C-alpha cells in the first residue's frame, strides 16, 4: 500500500520524537514561515561560526510530514558550511520534485530518503518542503547581511 | 453497518412526499461515478464546492455551441438570445431567494466579490470614523478581511461576537454590542466550519432597532435550504454559484433597492454607465450600475440551470435528506475512538468538523484520500475560529443532496483505519 | 465578386508556411454552422466577443465531469488535479505574452476588473493630489471611468490625448502632456472602434522617461497578434478571455513583480491571506494576494485551452489572415454608396467602423441581421470618441481567424441592400 | 419580408418628417432620457392646462424606430387628460409586449398600429418604448409635484 511509502517508520519516529525542537536564543539565523493553505508553521533558528552551522533548531506545528521533515532537516544541516547547506537543500528539493540527481554530486541523503515517498503525494509536497524553503530563506538573509558588512 | 437502521430511514424518506431516487440523482452527476485510488469516489467536500449535474454542464455547452454572443449591447439575433437568457437567469435568482425583483440581484464572480462590493461601495460611502461593525468569531475570511481593511481606512471599530462552548453564537454578547454606534452587522447564515445556523432574522431585528444594516453571508445556507431574503429582512445577502451546483466564476449580491440606489459604483467601465464625457460620467440603472465590463453571463446562465435542478428536486427534500445524513453521520462518527466533533449537535447544517486524537488533519485527509474519501482539512478560511478552538485546523466532511448513508459508512470505516495506523 | 482576386489571395495564404485550411478551422466552431433568419450566420462582432472552438468547450466540460473540486485548499486527489490544471493555465498565459513568471499573472473576471484592480490598489496607494494621468480620446470606458473615479477621489488631473483626423493618436500632444507630474499613462493597445494600433513601446519609453508607469489595455491586441509584455516594457497589461476564444468570466492582469509586490490587496477574503487574526491579517504571496475567494478556475482552464488552440494555428497566421480580410473589406466596403469609414487605412487591426448616409447604425444592424450578418452598433463603450467624431454611434464589423472573404462579400451585399431600402 | 413589417411607410415618414419636434419653452412637464446601450436620446416636454395635455414636443437623436415612435407619441398624447395619457401609454406598452388588450378598453391606436411590427424584433423594443417610458416618467413627476401642493 502506497501509504506505507509515505508514512515510513523514520517519519513517524521523527514526528513523535522530534529532534532539535525548540528555539535557539540569540540566533545568527532565524526565519518563521507558514503555509497559509493548511496552517502549518515552522520556525528555524541556527548558530553559525566561521561559516559553519554549529547548531540548528526548529519549532512549529503541522502534520507529520512537515514536522518530521523539519526534524530531519536539523540533523542534516548541522555541521555543514552555509554553502554546503545550500547545495544540500537544493538537491533535496530536486529529489522531492522527482528529478534524478547527477551521479557526481556525491550527496548522501541518509534518513532523508524516507521522504522520497512524498513524490507520490503531490498534495503533500508543500508539507515536506516548508522547512527547507524556510531554511534557505534564512541562509540567504544571513548571507545578505554579512556580505553588506 | 446499521443496515436495518438505514432502510428504516429510507422508508421515512420516500414517505415524505415525492418519490425521489437517490441513485437517479447520482447518475445526473458524471464526476461521482469514478474511482479514486482504487475506490469509488466519496465526495465530502461540498462546503468548499459542489459537483455539477449534467443539466448545468450541458446548458453552458449548448449555449456556447448555439447562442453565444456578448450581452446587452447587440441589436442582432444572437446577442438578443444571450441577453434574454442572462436576464432569465437573474429572474431565477429573484424567485429562488424571493427578492423583490431583478434590480436587487447583482452578479459577481464569487461570494467574496459580493461582500467586497458592499465594503467598498456602501462601506466607504456611508461609514465614518468611530462607527462600529459587529461580526462574529465564526466568520469566513471573506466576511472578515474586507471589514478589517475598511476599518483601517475609515477608523471604524470591529466588534467580534464570541461563540459559546457548544459552537453557537453568544446572543447575550451580541445584544450588548449592538448599539447606536453600530452601523453594520456582518454575519454568516451558516458556519462553514461548525455547521451552526445563526438566527439571522432575529439579528436583523436587533440591527434595525438601532438603525444598523445587516449583511448575511449566505454561502452555506442558500445551497441547502430555502431562503427568503425578504422574510429575513436582510439588507444585503451574498452567495456563490459554485457551492450550489453552479459553475465557478459566478456569485450573487442581493441588496435592498433603496440602499443599492444610494450606493456609488464599485467596479467601473463598460455597461455600467449612462452617459460618459472625457472627465465625468453618469450611471446606468440597477442592477447594471454594479456590473462593469462583460459579465460572467454564461456562468449566470449555468447557475440558472442549477437552480432549475434544485427546484425540480425541491429544497425541502434537499434539506431533509442532508439532515438525515447529518444526524446519522454525527452518531456514527462519534463511535471512532478519540474523535472529537466541533459544533452544535442540533439545529445544524451538514458540515461536520472533527479531530482524531492528536493526528494532524492533513494526515487524516491523506489517509482518507487513499480510501477514495475526499474531505477538506485546514483552517477553512476561518483562522480566528481555529484560534478560539485552540487548534491549527480541523478535518471536515460536508454533505450535499447526492451523498448517501453508505458514503457515511465509508467515511467512518476510513476514519477507524486511520486511527489504527497512527495508534 | 472578385473571384480571381480571392484565389490569388488564398494562394499567398497557403504559401505562407503551414497549410492551414479555413474550412477546417470553421468546423471547430459549432456556433458558425447555423442559419440566422434564413441565411448562414456571418459573425462579425468579434471585437465584442469571439466564438469558442470545440476544444475549449470540451475542456471545461471534461473538467467538470471528471476532475472538479475547489483549488488550492485541498489535500486530496481531485483538488490536486484542479490546482495543477489551474496553475498550468497560468503558465500558458505566462508563455503566451512572455511574462517573467506566474507571479506576474493575476486572474480576474474580465478585462474591466483587471483595470479596476490597478486603479483601486496601485492608484489609491501611490497617487496623490496634483498627480496626472495621461490617457487617450479613444479609450474604452473600462480604461477611462476607473481613472475618472480615482481622479475625483484623489484630486488628480486627467490629460486626454486627442486623435488626429486619420484616427491615429496625436503623438505630438502626447509628448507634450507627459511630464514630471505624470504618474500613469493608460492607453489602449488597439482601438475597439477605429482599429488604430498605438505605438505602446514608444509610449512606454516616454512614460518611463519621466518616472511614470504605463498601463496597456490589451483587450483588442492579444487576441489578434503576438504580444511580448517584456519587450513592450509595460508595467501593467490587461485583457479578457472571452475576446480570444476563451469562456466568459475570466480576464488577466499582468504586472511587473516589483510593482505588484508593493501594492496592497484589492479584493480580500479567502485564499489571499497568510495569517489572520480577528482584527488584522497578513497577505499571501503573488499572485494569490490579488485572488480573493474561489477564483474562476474552470474559466482559467478554458482560457488555457483557447491559448493552446491559438498556438496550434499560430498567431502569425491569425494576424496575416485578419490583415488580408481587413484590406479586402476596406476596399469592398468603400464601394457602397455614401459609406464613410472611420479610422486609419493602414497599420490597423480588423475592426471597421462606418456609417452609411444618414441611416442610423441601429437600423443598419437590423437590416444586416435579417441577412444573417451580425455586426455591432452603438457607441462601443467609447462615448468620448463618438463626441469627437460628432456621431451618435457607428456600425462596426470586426474579424477573427474564422472569418472568410465570402463573408466580407455577404456583408457588402447586405450593406448595398440596406442603402437601397432607405434611399 | 419581415423587414417591411418593421419599417412601414408610416414609420419611415415620421422618421424623415418628425411631427412636433423641438422643445417647449417653460414646459409644465419635462423629461430627458437616454438608452445607454445604443446612445438614443429623447427629450419630452409638454404644456398642461386643467389636467389636459395642450401641447407636446420631442427632441433627440436615434434610430428610425425611436424617433418615429416619439413623433407618433406627440400626436397621440395631445389633447388627452393626464389620466387618459397614462392609460394610453400603458396600453401601448402592452401592445408592444405582444399582449392582447381586453376588448373593452376601447383604445384605438390609429397610426401607432404601425409599430406593432416591433414585437417581431425584440432587440428593437427598447427603441420603440424609450419615448413612452420617458413620457410616463414625466407625467408621474408632474403629478407628484402637484399632489404635494
Ligand atoms: C479596448 C477594450 N478595453 C476593455 C474592454 C473590456 O473588457 P471586458 O468586457 O472583458 O471587461 C473591451 C471590451 O469590451 C475593449 O474592447
Ligand atoms: C461562509 C462562506 N463565506 C464566503 C465564502 C467565499 O465564497 P467564494 O469562495 O465563492 O468567494 C465561503 C466559501 O469559501 C464560505 O464558506
Amino acid at each position: 500500500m502506497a501509504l506505507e511509502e509515505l508514512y515510513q517508520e523514520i517519519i513517524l519516529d521523527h514526528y513523535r520524537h522530534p529532534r532539535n525542537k525548540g528555539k535557539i536564543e540569540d540566533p545568527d539565523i532565524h526565519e518563521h514561515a507558514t503555509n497559509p493553505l493548511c496552517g502549518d508553521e515552522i520556525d528555524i533558528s541556527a548558530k553559525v561560526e566561521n561559516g559553519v552551522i554549529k547548531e540548528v533548531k526548529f519549532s512549529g506545528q503541522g502534520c507529520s510530514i512537515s514536522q518530521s521533515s523539519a526534524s530531519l532537516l536539523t540533523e542534516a544541516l548541522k555541521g555543514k558550511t552555509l554553502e554546503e547547506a545550500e547545495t544540500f537543500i537544493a538537491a533535496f528539493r530536486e529529489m522531492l520534485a522527482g528529478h534524478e540527481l547527477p551521479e557526481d554530486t556525491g550527496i548522501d541523503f541518509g534518513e532523508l530518503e524516507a521522504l522520497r515517498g512524498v513524490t507520490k503525494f503531490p498534495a503533500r509536497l508543500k508539507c515536506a518542503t516548508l522547512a527547507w524553503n524556510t531554511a534557505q530563506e534564512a541562509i540567504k538573509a544571513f548571507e545578505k547581511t554579512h556580505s553588506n558588512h | 453497518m446499521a443496515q436495518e437502521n438505514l432502510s428504516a430511514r429510507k422508508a421515512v424518506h420516500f414517505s415524505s412526499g415525492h418519490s425521489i431516487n437517490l441513485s437517479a440523482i447520482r447518475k445526473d452527476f458524471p464526476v461521482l461515478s469514478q474511482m479514486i485510488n482504487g475506490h469509488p469516489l466519496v465526495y465530502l467536500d461540498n462546503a468548499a464546492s459542489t459537483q455539477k449535474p449534467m443539466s448545468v454542464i450541458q446548458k453552458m455547452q449548448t449555449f456556447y455551441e448555439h447562442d453565444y454572443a456578448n450581452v446587452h449591447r447587440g441589436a442582432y439575433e444572437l446577442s438578443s438570445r444571450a441577453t434574454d437568457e442572462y436576464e432569465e437567469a437573474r429572474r431565477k435568482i429573484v424567485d429562488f431567494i424571493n427578492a423583490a425583483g431583478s434590480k436587487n440581484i447583482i452578479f459577481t464572480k464569487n461570494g467574496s466579490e459580493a461582500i467586497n462590493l458592499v465594503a467598498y461601495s456602501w462601506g466607504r460611502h456611508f461609514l465614518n470614523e468611530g462607527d462600529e461593525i459587529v461580526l462574529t468569531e465564526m466568520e469566513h475570511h471573506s466576511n472578515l478581511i474586507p471589514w478589517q481593511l475598511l476599518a483601517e481606512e475609515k477608523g471604524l471599530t470591529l466588534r467580534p461576537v464570541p461563540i459559546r462552548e457548544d459552537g453557537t453564537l453568544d446572543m447575550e454578547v451580541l445584544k450588548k454590542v449592538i448599539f447606536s454606534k453600530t452601523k453594520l452587522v456582518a454575519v454568516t447564515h451558516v458556519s462553514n466550519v461548525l455547521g451552526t445556523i445563526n438566527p439571522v432574522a432575529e439579528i436583523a431585528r436587533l440591527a434595525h432597532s438601532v438603525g444598523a444594516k445587516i449583511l448575511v453571508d449566505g454561502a452555506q445556507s442558500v445551497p441547502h435550504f430555502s431562503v427568503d431574503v425578504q422574510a429575513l429582512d436582510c439588507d444585503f445577502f451574498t452567495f456563490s454559484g459554485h457551492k450550489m451546483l453552479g459553475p465557478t466564476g459566478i456569485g450573487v449580491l442581493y441588496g435592498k433597492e433603496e440602499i443599492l440606489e444610494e450606493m456609488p459604483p464599485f467596479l467601473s467601465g463598460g455597461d455600467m454607465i449612462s452617459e460618459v464625457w472625457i472627465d465625468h460620467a453618469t450611471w446606468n440603472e440597477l442592477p447594471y450600475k454594479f456590473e462593469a465590463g462583460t459579465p460572467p453571463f454564461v456562468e449566470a446562465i449555468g447557475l440558472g440551470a442549477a437552480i432549475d435542478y434544485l427546484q425540480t428536486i425541491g429544497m425541502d427534500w434537499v434539506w431533509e435528506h442532508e439532515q438525515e445524513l447529518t444526524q446519522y453521520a454525527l452518531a456514527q462518527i462519534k463511535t471512532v475512538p478519540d474523535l472529537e466533533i466541533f459544533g452544535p449537535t442540533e439545529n445544524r447544517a451538514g458540515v461536520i468538523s472533527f479531530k482524531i486524537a492528536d493526528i494532524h488533519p492533513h494526515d487524516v485527509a491523506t489517509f482518507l484520500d487513499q480510501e477514495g474519501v475526499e474531505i477538506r482539512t485546514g483552517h477553512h478560511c476561518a483562522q480566528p475560529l481555529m484560534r478560539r478552538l485552540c487548534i491549527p485546523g480541523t478535518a471536515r466532511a460536508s454533505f450535499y443532496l447526492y451523498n448517501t448513508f453508505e458514503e457515511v459508512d465509508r467515511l467512518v470505516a476510513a476514519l477507524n483505519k486511520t486511527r489504527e495506523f497512527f495508534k
Side-chain angles (χ1 to χ4, degrees), chain A, chain B:
Chain A
M1 187 204 189
L3 272 179
E4 269 88 40
E5 269 183 65
L6 180 62
Y7 294 109
Q8 297 190 24
E9 262 316 309
I10 295 175
I11 291 181
L12 293 178
D13 181 48
H14 274 266
Y15 177 48
R16 288 181 186 132
H17 315 287
R19 326 292 200 262
N20 304 310
K21 185 137 189 188
K23 281 188 189 186
I24 291 174
E25 272 189 36
D26 199 15
D28 299 308
I29 283 182
H30 183 214
E31 191 82 32
H32 176 86
T34 61
N35 180 343
L37 301 176
C38 63
D40 285 0
E41 277 183 44
I42 286 290
D43 188 290
I44 303 266
S45 52
K47 275 275 177 209
V48 179
E49 266 173 42
N50 301 324
V52 174
I53 300 174
K54 283 289 170 197
E55 206 191 341
V56 48
K57 289 195 173 181
F58 87 98
S59 68
Q61 55 177 10
C63 64
S64 60
I65 307 298
S66 77
Q67 302 302 301
S68 63
S69 182
S71 170
L72 285 158
L73 170 142
T74 59
E75 295 201 321
L77 295 193
K78 192 170 171 177
K80 289 202 165 44
T81 66
L82 291 176
E83 209 180 318
E84 285 166 355
E86 286 196 86
T87 313
F88 192 87
I89 292 172
F92 177 74
R93 283 159 43 130
E94 280 295 293
M95 173 181 93
L96 286 195
H99 302 153
E100 286 298 318
L101 292 189
E103 290 290 311
D104 58 359
T105 51
I107 282 179
D108 176 12
F109 287 122
E111 285 197 324
L112 278 166
E113 285 289 344
L115 278 167
R116 209 185 270 276
V118 174
T119 51
K120 302 229 172 90
F121 295 81
R124 306 303 298 275
L125 209 56
K126 281 198 174 167
C127 313
T129 51
L130 180 61
W132 300 79
N133 294 345
T134 312
Q136 191 179 41
E137 289 296 314
I139 294 174
K140 262 203 210 138
F142 176 83
E143 285 173 339
K144 208 164 162 188
T145 12
H146 284 71
S147 66
N148 286 353
H149 281 204
Chain B
M1 179 187 292
Q3 207 53 55
E4 298 135 302
N5 196 333
L6 241 166
S7 352
R9 280 180 186 285
K10 280 202 175 146
V12 172
H13 231 84
F14 291 131
S15 72
S16 81
H18 26 219
S19 62
I20 281 162
N21 183 333
L22 199 50
S23 66
I25 290 183
R26 289 180 67 82
K27 287 215 187 78
D28 293 334
F29 293 81
V31 89
L32 295 179
S33 60
Q34 71 181 291
M35 305 294 278
I36 295 282
N37 296 316
H39 304 272
L41 164 65
V42 176
Y43 184 77
L44 297 179
D45 192 18
N46 294 290
S49 203
T50 66
Q51 300 299 339
K52 324 301 172 198
M54 236 16 249
S55 61
V56 169
I57 301 172
Q58 229 138 40
K59 175 77 202 176
M60 293 190 290
Q61 180 184 351
T62 307
F63 183 80
Y64 277 128
E65 288 181 12
H66 299 288
D67 307 309
Y68 184 81
N70 209 331
V71 290
H72 289 320
R73 288 172 288 188
Y76 58 88
E77 170 72 22
L78 283 183
S79 179
S80 295
R81 283 190 218 159
T83 306
D84 289 351
E85 294 229 36
Y86 182 51
E87 292 309 324
E88 176 66 25
R90 201 188 301 272
R91 274 187 296 271
K92 284 177 185 172
I93 312 271
V94 167
D95 288 349
F96 196 62
I97 62 171
N98 192 33
S102 288
K103 290 190 173 185
N104 304 98
I105 303 299
I106 294 150
F107 283 117
T108 61
K109 70 173 168 181
N110 55 26
S112 303
E113 189 198 337
I115 299 170
N116 276 272
L117 193 166
V118 177
Y120 271 100
S121 169
W122 181 82
R124 294 182 64 220
H125 198 75
F126 289 105
L127 299 192
N128 297 302
E129 192 169 342
D131 287 345
E132 302 203 356
I133 295 177
V134 170
L135 34 75
T136 87
E137 230 175 29
M138 66 171 98
E139 294 312 312
H140 188 280
H141 293 160
S142 292
N143 199 21
L144 171 60
I145 322 259
W147 309 119
Q148 288 182 355
L149 292 179
L150 184 68
E152 199 188 313
E153 178 181 341
K154 290 287 201 171
L156 315 176
T157 303
L158 298 187
R159 296 269 173 220
V161 177
I163 57 166
R164 289 181 289 225
E165 274 312 302
D166 64 355
T168 60
L169 199 58
D170 193 328
M171 290 296 287
E172 294 315 308
V173 176
L174 184 104
K175 280 174 197 154
K176 274 188 209 129
V177 295
I178 293 183
F179 75 124
S180 60
K181 283 198 163 178
T182 309
K183 290 295 177 302
L184 177 74
V185 180
V187 59
T188 193
H189 201 169
V190 171
S191 160
N192 68 317
V193 176
L194 305 169
T196 313
I197 304 172
N198 288 316
V200 290
E202 186 184 342
I203 300 174
R205 269 192 303 278
L206 290 168
H208 292 151
S209 73
V210 298
K213 305 282 182 248
I214 179 168
L215 178 145
V216 175
D217 174 355
Q220 300 293 346
S221 65
V222 162
H224 303 284
F225 54 84
S226 132
V227 165
D228 180 332
V229 288
Q230 296 191 82
L232 294 177
D233 198 19
C234 38
D235 301 293
F236 301 107
F237 189 93
T238 63
F239 56 101
S240 320
H242 66 93
K243 290 182 202 281
M244 52 189 289
L245 309 184
T248 55
I250 188 84
V252 174
L253 167 65
Y254 158 87
K256 284 189 183 161
E257 185 176 338
E258 63 274 21
I259 304 176
L260 293 177
E261 279 294 355
E262 295 203 335
M263 282 159 58
F266 170 43
L267 299 180
S268 64
D271 273 11
M272 50 68 73
I273 54 84
S274 172
E275 292 187 79
V276 179
W277 290 263
I278 196 73
D279 58 350
H280 71 288
T282 59
W283 315 130
N284 202 339
E285 59 188 25
L286 287 175
Y288 311 110
K289 179 169 83 173
F290 292 109
E291 294 184 354
T294 302
F297 62 92
V298 181
E299 288 73 12
I301 291 166
L303 178 55
I307 288 178
D308 288 344
Y309 188 91
L310 286 170
Q311 287 187 320
T312 306
I313 303 288
M315 289 309 289
D316 288 347
W317 188 89
V318 171
W319 179 239
E320 249 181 64
H321 175 66
E322 287 181 36
Q323 282 294 294
E324 289 176 12
L325 276 179
T326 305
Q327 286 310 320
Y328 180 66
L330 286 172
Q332 297 299 317
I333 291 176
K334 241 186 294 186
T335 65
V336 177
D338 306 318
L339 190 143
E340 182 186 344
I341 294 175
F342 302 101
T345 47
E346 300 203 324
N347 187 30
R348 53 122 68 226
V351 182
I352 305 182
S353 273
F354 56 88
K355 69 173 201 144
I356 318 177
D358 60 353
I359 314 172
H360 193 276
H362 224 134
D363 292 316
V364 176
T366 297
F367 256 79
L368 267 50
D369 187 31
Q370 286 302 306
E371 304 284 319
V373 179
E374 312 285 58
I375 63 159
R376 182 118 332 216
T377 61
H379 52 62
H380 314 295
C381 296
Q383 288 187 10
L385 179 58
M386 297 299 119
R387 287 215 179 74
R388 162 68 180 76
L389 300 171
C390 300
I391 45 174
T394 77
R396 181 187 77 183
S398 52
F399 306 118
Y400 209 19
L401 47 84
Y402 37 66
N403 288 122
T404 67
F405 294 91
E406 289 80 357
E407 289 183 318
V408 174
D409 295 342
R410 293 263 312 278
L411 165 67
V412 174
L415 288 175
N416 276 312
K417 219 163 161 179
T418 312
R419 176 75 192 88
E420 270 313 299
F421 186 94
F422 278 101
K423 209 158 170 173

